[in-house]
Amino acid sequence: MGLTKRGSAMTSDHHAQEIQMLRSEIEMLMNERQSLLRATGAAAVFVANLDSESLPESTYAVADVLAHALNQLSEDSLRDALELVRPTVEAARSEAKKQET
């Protein structure tokens, strides 16, 4: 009987450790997603404001790769990305206007 209780406690401890590991992994993945969304949002705003006629020809291929990557995102992901960077972009634009005057 003592073995059964000990085995049950070890199994419970093992499950608790697995759950904690999964929680840590999910938290890490969510942080990574936030970073990727920030980068994606910044790239999308950059592309939207880019004057393609002022690009050197040597950058056309890379710009095309970036544009295709952004276009392949789901609408929800792109919306999340833009919402995440909106405050930063607005602050940067506001600061740039202040410096112009």
Side-chain angles (χ1 to χ4, degrees):
M1 193 163 199
L3 272 178
T4 305
K5 286 183 181 178
R6 187 183 315 157
S8 177
M10 286 180 14
T11 301
S12 179
D13 288 345
H14 181 72
H15 286 301
Q17 286 176 334
E18 285 181 341
I19 290 169
Q20 183 56 42
M21 285 174 37
L22 287 172
R23 284 184 179 147
S24 296
E25 184 72 17
I26 289 170
E27 185 176 337
M28 184 188 74
L29 290 171
M30 291 303 292
N31 288 335
E32 183 71 14
R33 180 179 188 273
Q34 289 297 105
S35 295
L36 291 170
L37 285 173
R38 258 188 235 91
T40 299
V45 171
F46 179 75
V47 167
N49 289 286
L50 190 64
D51 177 9
S52 61
E53 296 196 12
S54 67
L55 286 177
E57 263 188 65
S58 61
T59 62
Y60 286 174
V62 176
D64 192 51
V65 169
L66 178 57
H68 278 47
L70 291 170
N71 286 332
Q72 288 178 347
L73 291 172
S74 73
E75 189 176 322
D76 288 339
S77 291
L78 191 53
R79 186 181 308 115
D80 290 348
L82 291 170
E83 287 297 318
L84 190 60
V85 298
R86 177 179 289 162
T88 305
V89 169
E90 289 174 355
R93 286 181 176 158
S94 176
E95 185 63 32
K97 284 182 182 179
K98 284 181 187 176
Q99 290 179 0
E100 287 175 1
T101 57

